[in-house]
Amino acid sequence: MNLLAIGWEPELRGLLTVVIAVVILMGSIYLIMLTNMGARLAFLVALAGLAGWMMLMGLTWWIYGIGLRGPDPTWQPVAGATVLQDTDALRSGGALQTLPQIPDGATPSEEGELVGDQFIEEGWILLDPASPAFGQAQASASVFLEEEEAFAAGQYVVTDIFDIGGDRYPRIKAGAIPGFTNDTLDFFAFFHEPHFVVAEAAPYVQVRTEPGRAPVTPQIDETRQRQYVYMVRDLGSRRQPAVVLTLGGGAIFLALCYLLHRRERHLQENLTNSKAVAAA
């Protein structure tokens, strides 16, 4: 116990924990089989059992997306067009194909409404502020706005988020298949179209805080230009480590099973030949 109480070196303690667990769990099984099978055969059987268990565990993690996971899906900035500080930049950045007709003398608030209508006309979907997708995109847009120093924290609010793309394919028409209530079967839809969002940020009216008084409720500044954050969805690789573990463990398991089968076949051939020689 005194040897294992290395509290000032956590990385060494973790290494010792892994080594001891491997020796106790796998080493004990190998030791038991060693007394019955011999060193070589026991090693092959124990290693095959370990590889098979790793394959099953990786398959479970692969199906449910748990255990050893890779990066989760996130919103990433569109290169060169992340924070768009005026309406004209929406077309040059690729978010809009055409700009709306903005009359002379329109306020920034009215201009923002016309831009929102143009997004919807071009097929973008206005997200519900209560939806989880809105919250995720809002959090990412806030990070990019503050990193680009477009706004400081607490000086703006994300008012609208427009969404487009992200469909999966290929989809199989399954309306005629018994037992399926949906029109399409998307179980094999492994490919995705690019998924984009544009978040509209409106600045607050600058107010001065006074000590001892409650803060004033922030109000949107209707005289300042709206700004937009253009983002693309990175699907991540949550299941990639589980896939590698499943395929790697399965390959090792099958190879060891083949070695055990070939060893058993050679053993049977040698026993048959020895009996034939003894009978002669």
Side-chain angles (χ1 to χ4, degrees):
M1 296 298 296
N2 294 332
L3 180 62
L4 297 180
I6 311 178
W8 61 88
E9 292 288 349
E11 65 278 0
L12 183 58
R13 183 174 57 184
L15 178 62
L16 288 175
T17 302
V18 173
V19 171
I20 292 174
V22 170
V23 172
I24 292 177
L25 297 178
M26 288 177 279
S28 60
I29 301 300
Y30 172 69
L31 182 61
I32 293 173
M33 291 190 297
L34 173 65
T35 59
N36 297 283
M37 301 180 180
R40 293 184 179 180
L41 181 58
F43 180 77
L44 287 177
V45 173
L47 193 59
L50 175 62
W53 174 81
M54 292 176 61
M55 179 187 66
L56 294 177
M57 182 61 67
L59 184 61
T60 303
W61 290 348
W62 186 358
I63 294 173
Y64 294 102
I66 59 177
L68 187 63
R69 301 190 305 178
D72 289 329
T74 55
W75 288 108
Q76 297 295 330
V78 174
T82 305
V83 178
L84 307 174
Q85 299 185 346
D86 53 37
T87 304
D88 294 336
L90 290 172
R91 183 177 61 181
S92 60
L96 286 177
Q97 298 179 1
T98 57
L99 293 177
Q101 296 295 329
I102 300 176
D104 296 336
T107 63
S109 178
E110 296 172 347
E111 183 177 347
E113 293 180 359
L114 294 174
V115 170
D117 294 339
Q118 182 66 27
F119 271 113
I120 295 176
E121 183 178 347
E122 293 189 4
W124 294 71
I125 299 175
L126 181 62
L127 296 181
D128 184 1
S131 64
F134 186 98
Q136 294 176 4
Q138 180 185 28
S140 299
S142 300
V143 172
F144 298 138
L145 285 170
E146 295 171 13
E147 285 182 351
E148 296 291 335
E149 298 182 354
F151 293 113
Q155 295 182 355
Y156 66 96
V157 60
V158 176
T159 55
D160 293 324
I161 294 180
F162 303 93
D163 180 285
I164 194 171
D167 293 335
R168 299 191 299 163
Y169 65 94
R171 297 176 181 268
I172 302 173
K173 294 183 178 180
I177 301 177
F180 287 94
T181 58
N182 298 329
D183 294 335
T184 59
L185 177 64
D186 59 356
F187 183 79
F188 298 100
F190 299 116
F191 302 97
H192 298 74
E193 295 179 356
H195 190 185
F196 298 96
V197 294
V198 172
E200 179 187 85
Y204 281 140
V205 176
Q206 297 183 0
V207 295
R208 292 183 298 177
T209 59
E210 299 182 10
R213 299 187 62 180
V216 180
T217 302
Q219 300 291 332
I220 295 178
D221 192 347
E222 303 294 346
T223 62
R224 296 174 61 188
Q225 176 68 45
R226 302 288 197 271
Q227 297 196 21
Y228 301 88
V229 184
Y230 192 23
M231 298 177 290
V232 61
R233 187 68 168 176
D234 182 1
L235 298 178
S237 57
R238 176 184 294 181
R239 289 176 168 83
Q240 182 178 0
V243 172
V244 174
L245 180 62
T246 303
L247 299 180
I252 296 173
F253 175 71
L254 294 177
L256 292 174
C257 288
Y258 172 74
L259 290 177
L260 290 171
H261 171 70
R262 192 178 68 170
R263 179 189 179 279
E264 184 70 19
R265 187 179 58 188
H266 289 173
L267 178 61
Q268 293 297 331
E269 291 178 357
N270 293 335
L271 290 176
T272 303
N273 293 335
S274 63
K275 290 180 180 179
V277 172

